[in-house]
Amino acid sequence: MAIWPNSTGREERGIVPAGASGPKGQAALSVPARLFFCALGGAVASTSLSAVAPALVAYGYGFSTADGARGRAGSLVAALVPAAALSLSLGPASVVAALACCLVAVATSELVARGRFGAGAACLVVAAAAAACLAADALVVASVGTTIPALVNGLLDTYLRGLGDLALVQSLRAAVTLLWPVAYVVASLVELLAALLGTRLAADRSAGELSRPPRLVAFDVPLWVVAALVASAAGLAAALTVEAVPGLVLMVSANVAMALRFAFAAQGLAVLVWFVRSRSASPTIATLLGVAALYLEAQFFVLTVAGLVDVWANFRHLARGGSSGAAGGAKQD
């Protein structure tokens, strides 16, 4: 039995089905529906629409986080089995990519449910997924006697053959040859954002029973991310000034720095969101500022610099000094 107020304000009694939240809330997703969304996400992960898969898996799995280990395990299996089975014919690398896509959603849902999702956790999830996919591709191409850089150079030769030796073409070739691993980071970042969307939708449907992902305005990178950026900058400086330093140091340092740029750009965007809200700017002004900030980021790394400065300046006056928790990772860990 449950009691809720009717339209006249008086209380009424009635029987509410299991998992329902009453007339003002939506019914929690049933177990078969959860498994369906997880299985659908796993199936989609093996297709060209794999970027959508984490949202589907996170939506279904999000409701399972309120269950015990058995419910979680069922949703996990429902997502992983179709992902592995449908991508098996495409090769080992495709299997790893599909499984990583689903696991990003599962990890994100678990971290949000436990109140431990923050900037540091997001960086670790993206790094783990990107490393797994990169390693799988490297092993596959190595089994046929080649390497990923060799394949990248071959593709560049094919697509840039008719453009001659223009300076812009050579700059593009140099950039792609050096920074191709960032493509794995971008793909994993898109999967993480899709997983956060699915987790948010599940929390909204649960009418407060499930934890919601932290807001962007609370995004705050931990100090170990800053240390990684400093180390990558030192590696770049050494590789560019000391001839004895191997070229691998240059590639690793450049890709780590470029990957961390996304984290600091997100922090810079969080500062912008805080500024717009603190000034009660109109939607039009907020939109114009956002477009201008993204343009300046692409040209001059403005958001990245703002995010890096915010680590010390703390423009948003966040409470720092502890581990990231339910507050959305606003504390540096």
Side-chain angles (χ1 to χ4, degrees), residues 83-84 87 91-103 129 131-137 140:
S87 60
S94 297
V95 174
V96 173
L99 293 178
C101 187
C102 295
L103 291 175
C133 294
L134 176 57
D137 285 346
V140 169

Side-chain angles (χ1 to χ4, degrees), residues 17-262:
S21 56
K24 292 187 178 181
Q26 300 186 45
L29 206 64
S30 64
V31 173
R34 301 174 193 179
L35 298 179
F36 169 77
F37 277 103
C38 289
L40 179 61
V44 173
S46 62
T47 69
S48 58
L49 299 176
S50 59
V52 182
L56 297 171
V57 175
Y59 182 72
Y61 189 90
F63 290 95
S64 299
T65 57
D67 301 334
R70 187 173 182 179
R72 285 176 158 93
S75 296
L76 178 62
V77 171
L80 296 184
V81 170
L86 296 178
S87 60
L88 190 60
S89 61
L90 303 177
S94 297
V95 174
V96 173
L99 293 178
C101 187
C102 295
L103 291 175
V104 165
V106 171
T108 302
S109 296
E110 285 288 348
L111 288 168
V112 170
R114 301 181 185 189
R116 298 192 58 82
F117 186 88
C123 292
L124 290 176
V125 170
V126 170
C133 294
L134 176 57
D137 285 346
L139 291 175
V140 169
V141 298
S143 65
V144 295
T146 186
T147 62
I148 297 180
L151 291 177
V152 171
N153 286 327
L155 290 174
L156 290 175
D157 290 338
T158 300
Y159 287 107
L160 302 180
R161 183 176 302 164
L163 299 180
D165 294 330
L166 298 176
L168 179 60
V169 174
Q170 296 304 318
S171 298
L172 177 62
R173 175 187 291 273
V176 175
T177 301
L178 179 65
L179 297 175
W180 60 263
V182 176
Y184 290 89
V185 177
V186 173
S188 299
L189 180 58
V190 171
E191 293 173 356
L192 175 70
L193 294 177
L196 287 174
L197 174 61
T199 305
R200 172 66 179 271
L201 292 175
D204 289 344
R205 181 184 174 88
S206 71
E209 295 180 7
L210 299 177
S211 300
R212 300 179 67 179
R215 299 173 301 166
L216 174 61
V217 71
F219 189 93
D220 194 34
V221 296
L223 292 179
W224 65 263
V225 175
V226 181
L229 180 65
V230 172
S232 64
L236 279 173
L240 294 175
T241 57
V242 181
E243 295 183 1
V245 175
L248 180 62
V249 174
L250 174 62
M251 172 171 280
V252 172
S253 300
N255 281 276
V256 170
M258 186 58 67
L260 293 178
R261 175 192 173 186
F262 294 113

